[in-house]
C-alpha cells in the first residue's frame, strides 16, 4: 500500500508561533473573555469609504472578469503618478506588476530572481514568509545576525564576508516588521552599491511605506532603477482582505515578470483593482494621513507605557505599527510568557521566534493596532501580570 507523503519542502516551512496564540485568543473570546489583540499586523481600520464604494460599483457593473496579468492599465498609471507626486520618482507603468497581495509579489520575486540552490541574505530578525517563498523556489534564506545597538540593521561593511558564490541578493524592509525601524536613504544607497559590486540584486520591501513617524519617507526607487521594490494596499491604505500589492521591476525584467504573473496568478482580483484606482484621490490620501497620525499617537502611548513598565524597546520604532521589546529581564522564554500573559490577563502578543533565530527567545512584538483606551488597558493588565 502506497504511503501518502507531502513534498519535502513543506517540512522546511515553519508555522507561525503566533497562530497558536491567535487560536487560543479566539477560543477565549468565544467564551466571553475580553481579549486585547496586539499580536496581528492589521489595524482596526478598513478601506476608506470611497475605495470600498468603488469596489461595490465594480461588482454592480459586472467588472469581475480577468484583467491583464500585470494589472489594470489605469491602476498601474495611478501607482506611477503616485510615485511621481509623492516621492518625485519617475516609474514607467510598464515596470509595475500588480499582484494578489504583497505575498504574491514576494512569490513572484523569488521565482523571478532566485535559482534552485541559491541563497538570499536577510537581516535577523525579519518577516518570516520571505524565507518560505525562497523555499518554494528551491532556494534558501541566509539570516545575518544583527545587533541591538545598531537597531537590528545589518552591518553593510561586513556584507562581502557573508557573500558566497551561490548568493543571489539581499532583501531588506523599511519600515520593518517586526521592529518598526526605518532605514535611511544613505543606508539603502550603500546597500545597493555594495550588492551591485558583488553582482547580486537588491529587493526593498516597502509594504509599510507611508507609515513613517520619524525619519524620511522615501522610496528606494529614487536611488536606482535596478532596485526591486514591493508594496501593498494592505497597510497604509487599510485594504488587507482585498489582497492587492505590486512589484516594481527594472525594464529588463518586465518580460520575465509578465510571463510568471500570467502563469502564477492569471491576474490580481479585478474588483480590488478597480477599487484601488480610487485610493490615490486627494480625499482618500487625506484620510490615510489622518489615520497615520492616529497610529503615531497610539505609538507614543505604547512607548511611554512600556518605559514606565521597565520593558526596553530595542529598535527605533519610527514606522509601521510595531514595537519590539526585550522581555529577558522577566523571562527566558518569550513564547511561554506570551501564552501565560494571554491566559492570565487576556492580552495577545507575538513572540520573537516568529521573526528570527539569534536571541529570539528574548523578544516580543507589540502591534499598536487598537485604540488608545485599549492600549492603556493592555498596559495595566501587563503591569499586573509582571507584578504577580
Amino acid at each position: 500500500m502506497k504511503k501518502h507523503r507531502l513534498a519535502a519542502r513543506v517540512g522546511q516551512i515553519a508555522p507561525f508561533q503566533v497562530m497558536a496564540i491567535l487560536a487560543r485568543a479566539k477560543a477565549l473570546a468565544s467564551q466571553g473573555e475580553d481579549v486585547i489583540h496586539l499580536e496581528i499586523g492589521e489595524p482596526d481600520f478598513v478601506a476608506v469609504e470611497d475605495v470600498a464604494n468603488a469596489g461595490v460599483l465594480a461588482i454592480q457593473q459586472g467588472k469581475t472578469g480577468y484583467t491583464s496579468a500585470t494589472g489594470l492599465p489605469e491602476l498601474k498609471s495611478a501607482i506611477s503618478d503616485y510615485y511621481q507626486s509623492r516621492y518625485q520618482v519617475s516609474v514607467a507603468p510598464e515596470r509595475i506588476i500588480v499582484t494578489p497581495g504583497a505575498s504574491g509579489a514576494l512569490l513572484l520575486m523569488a521565482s523571478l530572481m532566485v535559482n534552485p540552490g541559491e541563497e538570499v541574505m536577510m537581516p535577523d530578525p525579519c518577516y518570516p514568509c520571505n524565507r518560505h517563498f525562497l523555499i518554494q523556489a528551491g532556494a534558501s534564506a541566509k539570516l545575518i545576525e544583527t545587533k541591538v545597538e545598531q537597531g537590528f540593521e545589518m552591518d553593510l561593511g561586513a556584507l562581502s564576508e557573508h557573500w558566497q558564490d551561490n548568493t543571489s541578493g539581499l532583501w531588506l524592509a523599511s519600515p520593518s516588521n517586526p521592529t518598526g525601524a526605518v532605514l535611511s536613504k544613505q543606508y539603502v544607497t550603500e546597500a545597493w552599491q555594495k550588492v551591485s559590486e558583488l553582482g547580486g540584486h537588491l529587493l526593498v520591501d516597502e509594504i509599510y511605506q507611508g507609515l513613517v513617524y520619524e525619519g524620511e519617507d522615501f522610496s528606494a526607487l529614487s536611488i536606482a532603477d535596478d532596485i526591486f521594490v514591493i508594496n501593498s494596499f494592505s497597510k497604509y491604505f487599510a485594504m488587507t482582505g482585498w489582497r492587492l500589492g505590486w512589484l516594481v521591476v527594472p525594464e529588463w525584467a518586465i518580460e520575465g515578470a509578465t510571463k510568471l504573473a500570467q502563469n502564477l496568478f492569471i491576474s490580481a482580483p479585478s474588483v480590488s483593482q478597480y477599487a484601488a484606482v480610487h485610493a490615490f484621490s486627494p480625499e482618500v490620501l487625506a484620510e490615510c494621513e489622518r489615520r497615520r497620525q492616529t497610529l503615531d499617537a497610539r505609538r507614543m502611548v505604547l512607548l511611554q507605557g512600556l518605559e514606565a513598565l521597565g520593558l526596553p524597546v530595542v529598535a527605533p520604532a519610527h514606522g509601521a505599527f510595531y514595537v519590539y521589546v526585550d522581555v529577558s529581564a522577566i523571562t527566558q522564554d518569550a513564547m511561554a510568557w506570551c501564552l501565560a500573559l494571554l491566559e492570565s490577563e487576556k492580552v495577545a502578543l507575538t513572540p520573537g521566534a516568529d521573526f528570527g533565530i539569534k536571541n529570539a527567545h528574548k523578544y516580543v512584538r507589540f502591534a499598536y493596532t487598537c485604540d488608545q483606551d485599549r492600549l492603556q488597558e493592555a498596559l495595566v493588565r501587563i503591569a499586573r501580570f509582571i507584578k504577580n
Side-chain angles (χ1 to χ4, degrees):
M1 183 176 179
K2 185 178 180 180
K3 183 179 180 180
H4 297 291
R5 63 187 182 196
L6 299 174
R9 73 175 67 89
V10 179
Q12 302 175 55
I13 295 177
F16 280 132
Q17 288 198 23
V18 72
M19 297 314 292
I21 292 174
L22 180 60
R24 182 56 182 156
K26 288 184 175 179
L28 290 169
S30 69
Q31 297 167 13
E33 299 285 0
D34 178 26
V35 177
I36 301 178
H37 292 278
L38 306 183
E39 80 279 33
I40 299 300
E42 183 176 27
D44 54 344
F45 303 134
V46 296
V48 179
E49 187 175 4
D50 286 353
V51 174
N53 288 342
V56 172
L57 183 61
I59 294 173
Q60 293 173 338
Q61 294 178 344
K63 296 179 178 179
T64 55
Y66 295 137
T67 70
S68 165
T70 63
L72 283 174
E74 54 264 49
L75 178 57
K76 289 157 62 101
S77 292
I79 295 171
S80 174
D81 292 344
Y82 181 67
Y83 276 117
Q84 183 64 60
S85 61
R86 180 155 186 163
Y87 299 107
Q88 293 75 56
V89 178
S90 178
V91 180
E94 294 75 22
R95 294 174 55 200
I96 299 167
I97 314 296
V98 179
T99 57
S103 295
L106 285 160
L107 177 59
L108 180 60
M109 180 66 190
S111 303
L112 180 69
M113 292 301 296
V114 189
N115 291 308
E118 291 183 340
E119 64 181 18
V120 171
M121 290 197 295
M122 303 175 190
D124 179 0
C126 65
Y127 180 56
C129 289
N130 293 353
R131 310 195 291 271
H132 302 151
F133 288 123
L134 291 171
I135 291 172
Q136 289 297 107
S140 61
K142 183 176 183 178
L143 295 186
I144 305 301
E145 181 182 342
T146 58
K147 296 181 179 179
V148 175
E149 298 79 13
Q150 296 175 337
F152 294 105
E153 288 184 0
M154 284 180 57
D155 179 4
L156 296 177
L159 195 62
S160 59
E161 299 174 17
H162 298 290
W163 202 273
Q164 305 293 325
D165 290 341
N166 69 333
T167 304
S168 172
L170 170 65
W171 290 12
L172 300 173
S174 181
S176 165
N177 176 13
T179 67
V182 177
L183 297 175
S184 70
K185 192 171 186 177
Q186 179 181 348
Y187 182 94
V188 178
T189 300
E190 182 181 350
W192 168 71
Q193 291 170 341
K194 290 186 177 297
V195 169
S196 297
E197 291 169 3
L198 291 165
H201 71 268
L202 175 64
L203 168 74
V204 181
D205 172 348
E206 297 183 347
I207 292 170
Y208 295 91
Q209 187 179 61
L211 297 177
V212 175
Y213 318 107
E214 299 180 49
E216 183 182 0
D217 180 20
F218 70 98
S219 173
L221 295 168
S222 65
I223 296 169
D225 287 339
D226 60 352
I227 296 176
F228 292 83
V229 163
I230 282 175
N231 212 318
S232 173
F233 286 94
S234 290
K235 309 303 182 179
Y236 184 68
F237 296 101
M239 295 175 66
T240 50
W242 297 74
R243 306 314 304 136
L244 201 63
W246 71 86
L247 169 66
V248 181
V249 303
E251 286 189 8
W252 53 264
I254 293 173
E255 182 180 356
T258 300
K259 288 193 297 182
L260 283 171
Q262 291 168 343
N263 284 274
L264 289 174
F265 314 126
I266 304 298
S267 69
S270 55
V271 172
S272 300
Q273 292 190 64
Y274 282 109
V277 171
H278 296 263
F280 303 102
S281 72
E283 296 78 15
V284 171
L285 290 174
E287 176 58 25
C288 290
E289 172 58 21
R290 284 190 287 271
R291 293 176 175 186
R292 187 193 69 85
Q293 293 173 1
T294 296
L295 287 169
D296 190 17
R298 295 177 181 180
R299 177 179 73 107
M300 296 310 299
V301 166
L302 187 55
L303 289 175
Q304 292 165 8
L306 291 169
E307 182 180 9
L309 291 176
L311 293 176
V313 175
V314 291
H318 292 167
F321 32 72
Y322 304 120
V323 176
Y324 212 44
V325 175
D326 185 346
V327 294
S328 61
I330 52 179
T331 182
Q332 288 303 304
D333 187 340
M335 178 63 178
W337 187 82
C338 286
L339 286 169
L341 173 65
L342 178 59
E343 292 295 334
S344 176
E345 295 292 347
K346 313 305 182 289
V347 176
L349 303 173
T350 303
D354 269 346
F355 306 103
I357 299 171
K358 183 66 175 181
N359 291 325
H361 65 281
K362 297 172 57 174
Y363 304 117
V364 169
R365 188 193 74 177
F366 286 68
Y368 43 97
T369 49
C370 55
D371 64 38
Q372 291 187 40
D373 289 343
R374 296 292 279 170
L375 287 173
Q376 293 281 18
E377 174 62 21
L379 290 164
V380 169
R381 296 184 190 185
I382 293 170
R384 185 167 57 219
F385 179 70
I386 293 173
K387 184 178 180 180
N388 293 336

